[in-house]
Amino acid sequence: MNIINHNIEQLLSNFDSHNLDDLHHANLQDRVDSKFILPLAFLPILLKAARNYYSVLEINGKRTSNYFNQYFDTQEMNFYKDHHNGKLNRFKVRKRTYLDTQTQYLEVKFKNNHKRTIKSRIRCSNNVQSDDNNHSFIKQHLGYDFTQLSISQQGGYQRIALANETIPERITIDFNLWYQSSAGQDRLDLDGFFIVELKQQKHSKNSPFYQLMPHHYFAPTAFSKYCIGCVLLNQHTIKYNRFKPTLMKLSTISQSNQHTALWSH
């Protein structure tokens, strides 16, 4: 199901817009994140409320973007296990492709022991492990040899990106999530909800978005796209106790929207 219908496009057309070069304070590569899992029916309400406080990213005349990610992990899935076990000073590695512009980046996300997320990235090509610059980049940030990592899963989603330069903060709205094994098999499409990430320099409930949430009885929820994908694709072979509450929440929202795609292949 493609939820970007005329209504959503019309709501986005009412926003002021920005491009990537416009963000100086709200770029926030070093930040704290708050995440929310929200039912799909709430998206128009959110966009109407956000219009007066945020501008929307526009690229080549489009106000929604299509993402494709390939995640890397060790053979033992150490990055997944570190997150599952609640370890701080942990990493995630991915190659991100912006499908609308066909630009690609190799990215390392580091969650430090102060629960700050620090993202580093470099431009890359299709064959990401054949470039010496990428090997140096991984070695510098992780201490790993890139040859020790392999693609553990892939997937994508659509994104609406909002920003407020004054506060400063960014909001990403991700929907139509899908996952697939590294071999391109067992595609899972997740319907009925969207994921919001509020990105700030430091946690502040003065955010216009954050102040909206209690009025609709929503609270932050831990969510990792990578880890949830690992569980859905490998739940018979990996431990996932830590993520069961998130899975239950996704299932409940999905069922309330009368979607059954969450657990089906």
Side-chain angles (χ1 to χ4, degrees), residues 11-28:
L11 288 171
L12 290 176
S13 72
N14 293 327
F15 279 74
D16 292 334
S17 66
H18 66 266
N19 61 47
L20 293 173
D21 294 333
D22 293 330
L23 297 185
H24 304 291
H25 304 294
N27 194 19
L28 298 176

Side-chain angles (χ1 to χ4, degrees), residues 135-152:
H135 284 262
S136 299
F137 175 76
I138 294 297
K139 188 72 172 179
Q140 173 189 351
H141 288 281
L142 278 80
Y144 273 88
D145 190 316
F146 204 0
T147 58
Q148 295 177 259
L149 307 180
S150 59
I151 297 172
S152 54

Side-chain angles (χ1 to χ4, degrees), residues 9-10 33 38 55 73 84 88 117 145 154 168 186 193 198 216 225 239-240 253 258 261:
E9 292 285 7
Q10 182 62 43
D33 299 331
L38 305 175
S55 59
D73 210 328
H84 181 273
L88 295 176
T117 299
D145 190 316
Q154 54 193 4
D186 305 320
F193 65 92
L198 173 63
H216 296 273
K225 294 188 191 73
K239 183 179 179 181
Y240 61 96
I253 292 177
Q258 298 183 336

Side-chain angles (χ1 to χ4, degrees), residues 173-226:
I173 300 169
D174 297 337
F175 49 92
N176 289 339
L177 277 72
W178 62 272
Y179 293 103
Q180 208 166 32
S181 69
S182 58
Q185 301 169 335
D186 305 320
R187 174 164 167 150
L188 295 168
D189 290 272
L190 309 189
D191 295 325
F193 65 92
F194 63 101
I195 306 299
V196 175
E197 294 185 25
L198 173 63
K199 308 170 195 290
Q200 301 173 294
Q201 288 182 334
K202 60 182 180 179
H203 286 296
S204 171
K205 294 185 179 181
N206 291 325
S207 157
F209 168 80
Y210 209 112
Q211 291 182 349
L212 177 67
M213 292 295 98
H215 292 293
H216 296 273
Y217 306 101
F218 296 132
T221 304
F223 186 90
S224 163
K225 294 188 191 73
Y226 176 59

Side-chain angles (χ1 to χ4, degrees), residues 78-129:
N78 288 335
F79 299 157
Y80 169 82
K81 290 177 181 176
D82 284 348
H83 194 139
H84 181 273
N85 295 334
K87 178 183 176 182
L88 295 176
N89 292 328
R90 63 179 183 253
F91 295 93
K92 290 190 180 70
V93 178
R94 70 186 174 210
K95 185 181 82 169
R96 167 166 285 177
T97 302
Y98 298 87
L99 295 175
D100 302 296
T101 59
Q102 285 301 310
T103 52
Q104 300 178 99
Y105 289 88
L106 179 62
E107 301 183 340
V108 172
K109 291 182 72 176
F110 176 58
K111 177 65 73 71
N112 68 21
N113 56 8
H114 299 291
K115 297 187 177 182
R116 296 190 67 83
T117 299
I118 301 169
K119 186 170 79 170
S120 304
R121 67 180 190 171
I122 58 171
R123 287 285 293 266
C124 66
S125 59
N126 281 328
N127 194 348
V128 69
Q129 286 184 306

